[in-house]
Amino acid sequence: MKAKRILAMATAALSAAVCIGASVQAPATAATKYKLLWSQEFNNTKVSRPDPKVWDYDLTDGYGWGNSEQEYYTNYMSNVKIDGKGHLVINALRLSDTSPILDHCFACTYTSARLKTAKLVGFRYGRMIARMKLPTDTGTWPAFWMLGASLANGGTWPESGEMDIVETAGSAPNVVHGTAHGPGYSGCCGKGSTFYAPNPVSNGYHTYAIDWLPNKIVWTFDGQPYFTMTPADTGGNRYVFNQEFFLILNLAMGGEFPGDTDPAVKSATLNVDWIRYYSINGQGKVFKH
């Protein structure tokens, strides 16, 4: 009888604990582990060019890159440099009416820069994150994004895949866009979402990132997830993101996405504090070519 009373008391105590949630918990999940594999800190103490072992330049073709953009991309120090104060800076500068650039790019109104790591450095999986201050002047279109490495080796877009880690339109200074493009879901029909920041993103530095794993990509703004992409989201089309990609960083002006620039905008600036790339639970690889 004593044993039965002890068993009954123990059962009652356990039932009470379950009812009030006392010390009866689900097993803890293992913490996600991030390991830094690569970075660009831009800590040069003098004004200088971006590292040529990492960054190459896309130069303008004079045709608006298929988006009716109005910038002329250069490798001029006036358009892109490390400022000697810990930042990579891309400046869009309005052309004068007598600029010789207008002789072969009549629709251009600004010079700017577009950097890429194609055929120099590539990545597959992991966290890609940058701390940046983006411009929000009317008509600005800053972007931090990735393209499938196959595109640099004779492949075609959108079959190569595209991951827009962040892009913004100056006409909507609080809105951050994250988008994936692939075969059957590109351009206007890319798969993505938006994050509404409490203040214009030009007010200060923010972090923009993707956590990229096999068959899954998560977009974040200041660490807050706002969109997840998996093969189930392609509408039955091919998922093309389990391969090597390279980075692009640019400041476009005008075009179909942000609309026309304001003639009063004489310049606009994209400031990059750092770019860092981490493995996630061992998933992540840097390719150096």
Side-chain angles (χ1 to χ4, degrees), residues 12-54:
L14 178 59
S15 298
V18 170
C19 289
I20 65 174
S23 70
V24 179
Q25 301 175 354
T29 56
T32 303
K33 295 181 180 179
Y34 297 92
K35 181 181 178 181
L36 183 66
L37 300 183
W38 178 90
S39 73
Q40 292 283 282
E41 301 294 330
F42 308 118
N43 285 334
N44 308 41
T45 57
K46 296 181 179 180
V47 175
S48 57
R49 289 189 174 276
D51 186 349
K53 295 180 181 178
V54 174

Side-chain angles (χ1 to χ4, degrees), residues 231-256:
D233 300 308
T234 66
N237 295 293
R238 191 159 50 91
Y239 185 88
V240 292
F241 306 102
N242 294 328
Q243 60 171 322
E244 179 187 346
F245 276 66
F246 63 86
L247 273 176
I248 301 177
L249 183 66
N250 69 289
L251 174 53
M253 298 295 288
E256 296 164 5

Side-chain angles (χ1 to χ4, degrees), residues 123-125 147-151 159-161 163 212 238-245 287:
F123 310 89
R124 186 176 65 214
Y125 306 137
L147 284 172
S150 61
L151 188 65
E159 285 72 19
S160 59
M163 296 182 287
W212 173 25
R238 191 159 50 91
Y239 185 88
V240 292
F241 306 102
N242 294 328
Q243 60 171 322
E244 179 187 346
F245 276 66
F287 300 85

Side-chain angles (χ1 to χ4, degrees), residues 1 15 59 168 189 200 254 266:
M1 292 295 292
S15 298
L59 303 178
T168 61
C189 304
K266 303 303 182 185

Side-chain angles (χ1 to χ4, degrees), residues 85-269:
K85 300 177 182 178
H87 308 98
L88 173 70
V89 177
I90 297 180
N91 289 311
L93 303 172
R94 194 168 188 89
L95 288 165
S96 70
D97 293 338
T98 59
S99 171
I101 290 174
L102 297 174
D103 293 339
H104 51 93
C105 185
F106 65 90
C108 293
T109 53
Y110 294 83
T111 55
S112 188
R114 173 165 151 159
L115 297 173
K116 61 182 180 180
T117 68
K119 296 188 176 181
L120 295 171
V121 184
F123 310 89
R124 186 176 65 214
Y125 306 137
R127 168 174 286 182
M128 184 62 74
I129 181 170
R131 185 173 187 265
M132 303 185 291
K133 183 165 68 172
L134 307 181
T136 55
D137 309 274
T138 301
T140 54
W141 185 0
F144 177 54
W145 49 302
M146 305 183 78
L147 284 172
S150 61
L151 188 65
N153 297 302
T156 58
W157 185 92
E159 285 72 19
S160 59
E162 175 180 327
M163 296 182 287
D164 299 330
I165 300 172
V166 60
E167 56 184 341
T168 61
S171 56
N174 295 59
V175 184
V176 173
H177 299 262
T179 314
H181 302 269
Y185 48 101
S186 62
C188 65
C189 304
K191 303 298 182 179
S193 189
T194 53
F195 183 92
Y196 292 85
N199 298 295
V201 294
S202 57
N203 283 10
Y205 284 87
H206 299 278
T207 58
Y208 304 90
I210 54 169
D211 277 14
W212 173 25
L213 294 166
N215 295 326
K216 183 178 181 181
I217 314 163
V218 179
W219 278 256
T220 63
F221 171 82
D222 282 345
Q224 300 180 63
Y226 66 93
F227 176 57
T228 299
M229 170 82 171
T230 72
D233 300 308
T234 66
N237 295 293
R238 191 159 50 91
Y239 185 88
V240 292
F241 306 102
N242 294 328
Q243 60 171 322
E244 179 187 346
F245 276 66
F246 63 86
L247 273 176
I248 301 177
L249 183 66
N250 69 289
L251 174 53
M253 298 295 288
E256 296 164 5
F257 178 64
D260 290 338
T261 56
D262 182 345
V265 176
K266 303 303 182 185
S267 65
T269 302

